[in-house]
Amino acid sequence: MAQPFRLSRGGRIDRTRPVRFTFNGRTVDGFHGDSVASALLANGIHLVGRSFKYHRPRGILSHGSDEPSALLSVDRGPGRVDPNNRASVVEVRDGLATHSQNHWPSLEHDVGAINDLLSPVFVAGFYYKTFMWPKKFWDQVYEPVIRAAAGLGKAPSVPDPDRYANRHAHCDVLVVGAGPAGLAAALAAARTGRRVILADEGPEPGGTLLHDTSAEIDGRPAAQWLEAALVELDSRENVILLSRTTAFGYYNHNHVALAERITDHLPNPGTAPRERLWQVRAGKVVLATGAHERPLVFADNDRPGILLAESVRVFLNRYGVAPGRRIVFATSGVSAYAAALDARAAGLAVTLVDLRSEDECGPELASLRAAGIEVLTGHTVIGAKGAKRVTGLVVAPVDRAGRCGAHHLIPCDCVGMSGGWTPAVHLFSQSRGKLDYNAAIDAFVPGTSVQGERSAGAAKGTYDLAACLTEGDAAGAAAAGSAERRRFTASPTPTGFRPVRAMPTDADPTKVRAFVDFQNDVTAKDIGLAVREGFRSIEHVKRYTTTGMATDQGKTSNMNALGLVAGQLDTTLPSVGTTTFRPPYTPVTFGTLVGPARHALFDPIRTTPIHAWAEARGAAFENVALWRRAWYFPKPGESMHDAVARECKAVREGVGIFDASTLGKIEVVGPDAAEFMNRLYINPWLKLEVGRCRYGLMLKEDGYILDDGVVARVAPDRFHVTTTTGGAARVLAHMEDYLQTEWPDLRVFLTSTTEQWAVIAVQGPKARAVISALVEGIDLSPAAFPHMAMRTGTICGVPTRLFRVSFTGELGFEINVPSDHALAVWEAVHAAGEPFGITPYGTETMHVLRAEKGYIIVGQETDGTVTPDDVGLSGMIAKAKKDFVGKRSLARPDVVAPGRKQLVGLVTDDPALVLDEGAQLVADPDQPIPMRMLGHVTSSYGSANCGRSIALALVADGRARLGGHLHATTPEGFARVTVVDPVFLDPTGERIHA
Amino acid sequence: MLEALYRTARALPLGRFPAADPAGSGIVIQPAGAEARLSLRVRDPVASAAGLALDRPINRLSGDARRWIARLGPDEWLIGADEAEGDTLPGALAADLGERPHAIVDISHRNVGIDVSGARAAIALNAGCPLDLGEAAFPARSATRTLLGKAEIVLIRRPGAVPHYRVECWRSFSTYVHGFLVEAARSAG
Amino acid sequence: MLLIACPHCGNRPETEFRCGGQAHIARPADPAALSDAQWAEHLFVRANPRGVHAERWCHAHGCGRWFNALRDTVSDRFLETYPTGAQPTQTSDARA
């Protein structure tokens, strides 16, 4: 395609590097350095999308990140489709595929455009008013319809194959924005030797200097100054210059998030990550984020071909593209004059319509006319002509009272409009800084700072080039702690301007479609209606009309919306206030936020030293906290049920081996260790002999069970504490908290040894026989090594803390060995056990075996509101102890009140029925709903050893109900159960002492 | 047979990973071999014990590559030494600490070391470590507990001409930490 | 993410810390001597001021030490950090 609107010369594009991409399947030619927007305009393509609500034809409004209308899907292949990219910031490259959005069947012929004809129906608050009644319509009609119509663009349907990176960075000065103010700030800060990061969202630093071709700085063309500045910054090792990098969030204590786009602009991205999230902690921040031009509000101001005036200038000067051949500039201030002059200089037919009267306009007027530009002062814009492209602008003379004279049509194919400028205060506002309203420039500007930041240049409402540079320099120097200041000279920037809310018109206001928010299709009429219907707060108006929402967050629309609300309420702008600026400043991909935290790096997957053995044995695994534990070991053809039944029988009848390495372990050491334990656990510890163990129960101060575990006294001043797998970190933190903040006088030290010791549990009547040949230095005989004892010695030559403990109710040992030897010891024990039929078992069997014995699992039988007495363990409380953590709460009124839920066993009438854990229990299934629920099932299994199903439950007054009947909910209805003692097997505990 | 292998045949969780320079980034990631490590806790410490300095500021490393001590808090030190010293060092420390209340706990098997070196090593670490690793804030001989992604680590910067860091994490986190560092080095560009 | 000055380690990012809620609530020496109402007050009732608040923080992924801090809950500015058991140098009605 021939690029008929490409100017014959000028621009920063590289005409020696042609680029070819597609738009809606059609091949488009451009040059390296083009944005998609500039390349489309070079080819005369203005219609690039359909609006959200009315499906009106939309074109390109802006050249920058504030673009509300030209949203495209960029397709880089499967899983790499990104919706809602602004055509103005996507760089062209060979092979780039782009698509317009929000239309069907095609951009040119869109069925949804019927909404535009129905626009009198789709007024502000349409959804709230319409989708109310009848109630049943909501699920079946309204919601599906709204969901189908909602959203901009389409989300990709397959996983994103790209890689994303993350980097924490620190600097003394972060400068956001590399326009003249930002560059001056970065230079001043860099010269102090401080660490500087300069981030700019564009592909090329320079900001307005990239298109302000007539400007001069310090007596030379601005482009030369820019080049020298970049050479200097580049040469300094203390400077990181990031282009294509958007500072999108300003968080606490100068923590600023930047999104760097690394590869999207490259035809061959290679192996680099696509994007990188920078989490920058800056000593000081300089915000040189520039300003956004305001559209004018007039009828049909959304027609393709109507751009912001400065954007016309950018397309002309930076990209060498004429957005039209007959351009009308409509403005209420002088800033559009430069664009008009540049357009004229490019050989285009130019008319300028200025709302201001002849005498309001400054001396710049004369230079315009001298250049051959027709200027109409004191004229308003009544409306635009054309549908898929503007064809003319209807203007009329207007006096200060707003009375319009005769209409007059100016034919044109492009309009550049300017309603003044809005400083980009988003990041300042996110930093919690307070905005001030500056009436002279009709804008909110940074006021009181809360964090260590300062704004400079247009972001602060300073529009004169020399002033921007001087201000930037001062901000950069001050941020770096330097007293040095520079003054700059530059060509002057005229700034005359008259604030205007909506262009005066003599048309019936109810018939006019003058857009305020282009992305959300909010018109001046909608805002008026919202105020008339009683919405006063700008936050409410925003949500009712949707102005300022969606991907652009109202960058071009907010000030006009605020002004209209203020006008309607007959109040001032500052009293209306602004809506809250929230991150992100511009849309950020989920990939950038997620970074490398995907797949294996999503979360640590903790495995034990014996994991590989279990894996090789075909174990099924389950997640327990971050741990991946062997769940059961199915033999070929076995179901989970079969495997667990076999494992359970094997432990009770022979011997089983279980990997208990994930148990939390804490070494409690010091002269006051026993006293410390005494204060933290409900049990007594002072008299526990060295070499003996105790099952300890620990409460929170509120009296509820926090954790449990077996504790061995290794030496008078040393305890080996075990915790639940999931509770390890919590218990250590709990202990440290009390030790440091309540009892700093206790001479005790806590060290986590969870991963120092792997734990191999050997359980069952033949356990002693299995390990006896491997253990040295420990007498394993029952008399010398009774239940709940701990001995040190060696196993297979490896030092061990050997516990005689049992969570199965059988004779059992837990072999603690240093982790790096655990696999070898495990294999040796397994080999020694093979003659005895040793059976590896997993967590499911462990759960069943302990339930058969009525042993609780913290977090299963307890839920943070369960006391020792509730689970039948009040006998463990050391009565003689005056105090321990949680003791006082055991006397709280609600803890001693009757009717608390107590741990019981349940058996179903049907021995094959395994209840659901969590099933509710009631006394009478025929009572009216809502029923009185007495408790719930906490654990439930099929028990091969009991020959039937068993369950544990917490039931109100449970111990008083032994032998009685309750009814449990099941998916098929109620099932009758009998309340029994929670110990289903070996109630006298003989087996454990074997 | 295992007896003979004890102390020499530790099955290190990262044993199967060779030194790697992912994507030719100049950042070398090398799982450390078997080492002895102790956690030492003592209040009001003596100036040194077993030849290891206890009087250095918090977050400082002293000693040499074969026998080092990092002060992680006011009363906490992490000690690293050759594997052969694992049996003798606790006794030597205890002797020098005398009656002062203290705790010496063997954590040789709890900790896993990964060495990260190269001119751009800090960039890879900063993919997941939120600390300022610049020369002024984290010079050679710095040592601290911190985070790498979702794992807790101890980060030690060893002295030397080329930046050289030791990352220590708990055993079961080592696969994650190693994988994280490899990915970070690939993305350090 | 807050930047918090650990009294031992200096400025560190918030992710290394755990917040322990209101500071200066000592565990009663003899809980048994307290009435139910007094005990409930100790256990459950905490201040939630708009402004300067004395809080407990633990440098959990650092030196592991607990300490106290004065933080303005409006601005999130830390006025000071100080050891457990000590009192702040600034009064808690100081404004940020």
Side-chain angles (χ1 to χ4, degrees):
Chain A
M1 214 170 137
Q3 306 190 44
F5 289 85
R6 183 75 69 180
L7 298 173
S8 56
R9 61 179 185 280
R12 302 179 72 87
I13 43 152
D14 184 348
R15 292 170 195 258
T16 67
R17 294 171 68 185
V19 173
R20 183 163 280 192
F21 68 102
T22 65
F23 171 66
N24 286 345
R26 166 179 172 190
T27 301
V28 180
D29 285 324
F31 292 116
H32 184 81
D34 263 326
S35 69
V36 168
S38 68
L40 290 172
L41 293 178
N43 290 282
I45 300 170
H46 278 258
L47 172 62
V48 296
R50 291 276 176 171
S51 72
F52 181 49
K53 193 159 124 188
Y54 301 128
H55 290 244
R56 282 169 70 98
R58 286 286 162 80
I60 292 156
L61 180 72
S62 157
H63 67 281
S65 63
D66 53 348
E67 172 61 47
S69 299
L71 300 181
L72 304 178
S73 258
V74 173
D75 185 351
R76 295 174 299 115
R80 292 184 162 111
V81 181
D82 281 322
N84 300 325
N85 277 280
R86 291 138 297 163
S88 49
V89 299
V90 177
E91 295 170 62
V92 298
R93 57 168 171 77
D94 279 324
L96 179 75
T98 65
H99 298 275
S100 54
Q101 302 179 165
N102 220 38
H103 51 70
W104 184 86
S106 76
L107 178 58
E108 296 283 336
H109 305 283
D110 175 23
V111 168
I114 188 80
N115 286 4
D116 196 28
L117 300 176
L118 295 173
S119 66
V121 176
F122 291 119
V123 293
F126 166 76
Y127 294 89
Y128 306 111
K129 290 165 181 163
T130 308
F131 300 120
M132 298 289 291
W133 310 101
K135 192 176 174 188
K136 65 175 183 190
F137 264 45
W138 180 253
D139 289 347
Q140 292 153 20
V141 182
Y142 297 147
E143 185 177 334
V145 168
I146 292 172
R147 284 206 183 280
L152 287 166
K154 281 202 186 79
S157 54
V158 297
D160 183 346
D162 283 317
R163 289 165 55 236
Y164 296 84
N166 181 63
R167 187 177 299 172
H168 297 275
H170 292 74
C171 63
D172 299 298
V173 181
L174 168 67
V175 181
V176 182
L183 287 167
L187 285 168
R191 286 170 185 156
T192 67
R194 302 287 183 122
R195 291 184 297 175
V196 176
I197 295 177
L198 171 60
D200 189 273
E201 62 180 348
E204 201 181 356
T208 55
L209 302 183
L210 298 174
H211 70 265
D212 193 354
T213 44
S214 53
E216 291 195 344
I217 297 173
D218 290 344
R220 55 180 169 161
Q224 282 180 25
W225 182 89
L226 170 62
E227 206 179 320
L230 294 176
V231 166
E232 178 177 342
L233 290 171
D234 205 42
S235 71
R236 290 189 180 272
E237 284 201 351
N238 58 327
V239 178
I240 297 175
L241 174 53
L242 298 169
S243 44
R244 300 185 179 90
T245 302
T246 306
F248 67 83
Y250 198 134
Y251 304 93
N252 271 313
H253 300 171
N254 275 1
H255 197 236
V256 182
L258 320 177
E260 180 188 11
R261 294 168 292 280
I262 301 170
T263 60
D264 271 7
H265 65 289
L266 301 173
N268 300 304
T271 59
R274 181 184 174 215
E275 297 180 355
R276 176 180 288 120
L277 175 68
W278 289 74
Q279 300 187 53
V280 178
R281 183 78 71 174
K284 299 278 186 234
V285 177
V286 176
L287 298 173
T289 46
H292 298 127
E293 196 165 26
R294 281 177 221 166
L296 291 172
V297 179
F298 57 84
D300 301 316
N301 58 346
D302 62 328
R303 293 306 182 197
I306 302 181
L307 287 73
L308 294 167
E310 190 76 0
S311 296
V312 172
R313 190 171 179 224
V314 170
F315 287 118
L316 288 167
N317 294 347
R318 180 168 164 190
Y319 297 107
V321 171
R325 304 207 195 283
R326 291 186 53 84
I327 305 182
V328 180
F329 288 94
T331 184
S332 65
V334 73
S335 80
Y337 287 23
L341 283 169
D342 288 346
R344 183 74 196 105
L348 307 173
V350 177
T351 305
L352 186 137
V353 180
D354 196 328
L355 181 65
R356 299 174 302 167
S357 62
E358 192 84 11
D359 48 344
E360 262 182 282
C361 300
E364 304 84 26
L365 199 53
S367 59
L368 234 55
R369 286 186 171 135
I373 296 170
E374 183 194 4
V375 183
L376 301 173
T377 55
H379 273 64
T380 185
V381 179
I382 300 294
K385 294 287 179 196
K388 291 175 185 170
R389 177 79 185 265
V390 64
T391 57
L393 208 56
V394 180
V395 302
V398 62
D399 63 18
R400 288 286 326 218
R403 282 184 294 264
C404 299
H407 293 192
H408 163 53
L409 175 71
I410 310 173
C412 64
D413 58 358
C414 175
V415 172
M417 58 181 169
S418 175
W421 292 86
T422 306
V425 296
H426 303 67
L427 292 175
F428 172 80
S429 185
Q430 287 176 23
S431 81
R432 304 193 197 181
K434 273 182 61 184
L435 297 171
D436 286 344
Y437 178 69
N438 180 337
I441 60 168
D442 184 46
F444 287 96
V445 293
T448 315
S449 286
V450 170
Q451 300 203 37
E453 93 344 290
R454 62 197 79 216
S455 297
K460 200 181 175 186
T462 301
Y463 301 138
D464 178 71
L465 179 57
C468 284
L469 291 160
T470 305
E471 202 167 274
D473 172 78
S482 161
E484 239 177 83
R485 297 292 184 272
R486 286 196 57 210
R487 291 210 71 80
F488 293 81
T489 58
S491 35
T493 312
T495 54
F497 157 66
R498 188 215 289 182
V500 57
R501 304 303 170 211
M503 294 297 269
T505 180
D506 52 8
D508 175 356
T510 65
K511 299 274 195 296
V512 168
R513 315 282 299 286
F515 286 86
V516 173
D517 187 313
F518 292 80
Q519 186 157 106
N520 290 293
D521 274 347
V522 180
T523 62
K525 188 174 62 179
D526 291 325
I527 290 175
L529 179 63
V531 175
R532 281 204 307 283
E533 289 185 352
F535 292 94
R536 294 290 181 273
S537 158
I538 189 63
E539 296 283 4
H540 292 159
V541 172
K542 169 178 170 172
R543 281 154 187 82
Y544 192 60
T545 63
T546 69
T547 190
M549 297 173 94
T551 69
D552 68 334
Q553 289 285 293
K555 289 182 182 64
T556 53
S557 65
N558 278 343
M559 279 304 289
N560 284 335
L562 287 175
L564 288 167
V565 170
Q568 185 107 358
L569 291 172
D570 199 18
T571 182
T572 59
L573 261 179
S575 66
V576 174
T578 63
T579 54
T580 308
F581 294 88
R582 291 193 183 82
Y585 172 66
T586 54
V588 177
T589 63
F590 282 111
T592 295
L593 300 176
V594 169
R598 305 170 72 194
H599 309 302
L601 299 180
F602 172 67
D603 247 350
I605 297 169
R606 305 178 69 181
T607 58
T608 75
I610 296 148
H611 186 82
W613 189 93
E615 243 177 356
R617 283 296 180 113
F621 291 90
E622 70 166 338
N623 294 331
V624 182
L626 290 176
W627 291 98
R628 189 149 293 174
R629 303 191 67 181
W631 193 12
Y632 56 96
F633 290 81
K635 291 191 166 173
E638 266 187 342
S639 67
M640 176 179 177
H641 178 268
D642 296 341
V644 171
R646 174 180 49 76
E647 292 172 14
C648 286
K649 296 282 274 187
V651 174
R652 297 246 182 262
E653 292 166 5
V655 61
I657 183 168
F658 173 69
D659 180 3
S661 301
T662 63
L663 277 181
K665 299 163 210 89
I666 301 166
E667 195 95 332
V668 177
V669 184
D672 299 320
E675 172 63 23
F676 177 70
M677 296 293 292
N678 225 34
R679 295 188 192 182
L680 271 172
Y681 284 81
I682 71 171
N683 325 61
W685 297 96
L686 300 180
K687 290 176 184 160
L688 182 70
E689 290 168 37
V690 170
R692 295 307 300 250
C693 304
R694 180 158 287 156
Y695 169 66
L697 195 60
M698 179 185 265
L699 310 181
K700 294 178 290 171
E701 199 70 273
D702 58 15
Y704 298 131
I705 293 171
L706 171 65
D707 206 77
D708 67 352
V710 169
V711 177
R713 193 163 197 172
V714 179
D717 62 349
R718 187 176 283 249
F719 290 83
H720 177 123
V721 171
T722 71
T723 74
T724 59
T725 293
R730 186 164 53 236
V731 170
L732 181 59
H734 175 78
M735 286 180 160
E736 277 288 356
D737 192 348
Y738 275 90
L739 179 58
Q740 290 183 38
T741 69
E742 299 294 349
W743 311 314
D745 53 309
L746 290 185
R747 297 162 301 165
V748 179
F749 303 99
L750 310 171
T751 305
S752 171
T753 50
T754 299
E755 304 219 32
Q756 171 69 15
W757 299 105
V759 183
I760 301 163
V762 183
Q763 301 278 313
K766 298 174 182 167
R768 186 181 291 110
V770 169
I771 66 166
S772 58
L774 305 174
V775 174
E776 284 183 11
I778 302 170
D779 182 349
L780 295 180
S781 68
F785 193 9
H787 179 55
M788 294 305 268
M790 189 278 296
R791 299 287 182 265
T792 57
T794 61
I795 183 163
C796 312
V798 173
T800 180
R801 285 179 180 172
L802 184 61
F803 287 64
R804 187 177 162 189
V805 289
S806 171
F807 198 42
T808 58
E810 299 299 322
L811 164 68
F813 298 91
E814 291 188 354
I815 305 162
N816 284 252
V817 287
S819 293
D820 290 345
H821 299 300
L823 182 57
V825 172
W826 172 282
E827 285 172 341
V829 173
H830 188 261
E834 266 174 329
F836 302 92
I838 195 167
T839 300
Y841 66 96
T843 50
E844 187 66 15
T845 290
M846 178 268 282
H847 277 232
V848 177
L849 294 174
R850 65 89 207 178
E852 289 171 353
K853 290 293 298 173
Y855 298 154
I856 65 162
I857 285 185
V858 170
Q860 188 153 344
E861 272 64 56
T862 74
D863 61 3
T865 66
V866 173
T867 68
D869 185 59
D870 294 343
V871 289
L873 296 176
S874 57
M876 287 170 53
I877 298 172
K879 301 290 184 295
K881 283 204 290 186
K882 194 162 163 284
D883 189 18
F884 56 80
V885 172
K887 179 178 168 77
R888 174 63 184 84
S889 288
L890 296 180
R892 275 166 43 203
D894 51 329
V895 172
V896 297
R900 287 192 64 85
K901 291 179 186 173
Q902 296 168 331
L903 183 72
V904 293
L906 299 178
V907 288
T908 47
D909 285 358
D910 172 6
L913 175 65
V914 179
L915 296 171
D916 287 335
E917 289 175 355
Q920 295 293 319
L921 299 163
V922 300
D924 171 12
D926 298 321
Q927 66 185 294
I929 294 169
M931 297 189 183
R932 181 167 172 242
M933 290 178 284
L934 297 174
H936 66 278
V937 175
T938 57
S939 295
S940 178
Y941 310 97
S943 164
N945 290 306
C946 297
R948 58 157 302 123
S949 67
I950 59 169
L952 299 174
L954 284 169
V955 177
D957 287 322
R959 291 196 285 269
R961 295 179 190 270
L962 289 179
H965 298 297
L966 294 172
H967 297 265
T969 54
T970 78
E972 285 75 40
F974 282 98
R976 199 177 76 141
V977 299
T978 306
V979 180
V980 297
D981 187 88
V983 183
F984 294 91
L985 229 147
D986 187 26
T988 55
E990 283 165 28
R991 305 177 65 94
I992 211 164
H993 294 286
Chain B
M1 44 141 205
L2 268 171
E3 288 89 332
L5 295 175
Y6 176 60
R7 284 286 176 211
T8 54
R10 283 173 54 179
L12 299 170
L14 295 178
R16 62 185 184 278
F17 290 107
D21 176 3
S25 61
I27 302 165
V28 177
I29 296 164
Q30 168 79 65
E35 292 176 23
R37 289 182 202 80
L38 300 171
S39 170
L40 170 65
R41 304 289 304 274
V42 56
R43 294 185 204 163
D44 309 317
V46 292
S48 72
L52 293 163
L54 304 184
D55 55 358
R56 299 298 148 84
I58 293 169
N59 295 336
R60 297 301 288 169
L61 171 80
S62 63
D64 55 42
R66 300 192 59 178
R67 204 162 185 269
W68 50 267
I69 180 164
R71 188 168 189 177
L72 302 180
D75 63 359
E76 181 185 3
W77 291 260
L78 173 66
I79 296 171
D82 280 356
E83 173 72 0
E85 281 204 80
D87 291 332
T88 54
L89 196 50
L93 286 164
D96 286 352
L97 290 168
E99 293 300 303
R100 274 163 216 277
H102 67 269
I104 298 165
V105 178
D106 187 349
I107 51 167
S108 307
H109 294 243
R110 183 189 82 175
N111 278 27
V112 172
I114 302 172
D115 289 307
V116 185
S117 58
R120 298 155 54 70
I123 290 177
L125 291 164
N126 270 143
C129 175
L131 297 187
D132 185 351
L133 300 181
E135 277 302 326
F138 205 81
R141 297 191 174 279
S142 298
T144 182
R145 200 179 279 122
T146 181
L147 296 166
L148 184 81
K150 294 178 183 173
E152 182 182 280
I153 61 167
V154 169
L155 182 64
I156 295 169
R157 182 168 171 195
R158 297 216 150 133
V162 176
H164 180 177
Y165 298 85
R166 161 62 65 90
V167 173
E168 294 254 322
C169 65
W170 288 6
R171 197 182 196 286
S172 68
F173 288 92
S174 61
T175 321
Y176 170 85
V177 168
H178 185 267
F180 192 101
L181 288 169
V182 169
E183 171 63 21
R186 285 178 69 202
S187 297
Chain C
M1 184 161 54
L2 302 175
L3 190 65
I4 303 172
C6 167
H8 303 293
C9 305
N11 281 332
R12 292 298 185 95
E14 182 182 354
T15 45
E16 291 187 356
F17 295 84
R18 180 183 305 129
C19 184
Q22 189 179 351
H24 305 300
I25 297 176
R27 189 171 187 273
D30 183 6
L34 269 56
S35 69
D36 285 337
Q38 287 170 319
W39 182 246
E41 173 90 12
H42 165 73
L43 264 191
F44 302 122
V45 180
R46 294 292 182 271
N48 184 22
R50 184 180 189 279
V52 176
H53 190 34
E55 292 174 320
R56 294 162 5 99
W57 288 84
C58 178
H59 193 191
H61 299 295
C63 63
R65 298 299 94 188
W66 281 94
F67 60 94
N68 293 330
L70 287 188
R71 181 176 65 94
D72 188 311
T73 60
V74 178
S75 67
D76 272 329
R77 195 164 75 87
F78 281 85
L79 281 70
E80 66 176 296
T81 52
Y82 54 100
T84 295
Q87 290 296 317
T89 59
Q90 299 169 71
T91 59
S92 58
D93 52 31
R95 304 305 303 190

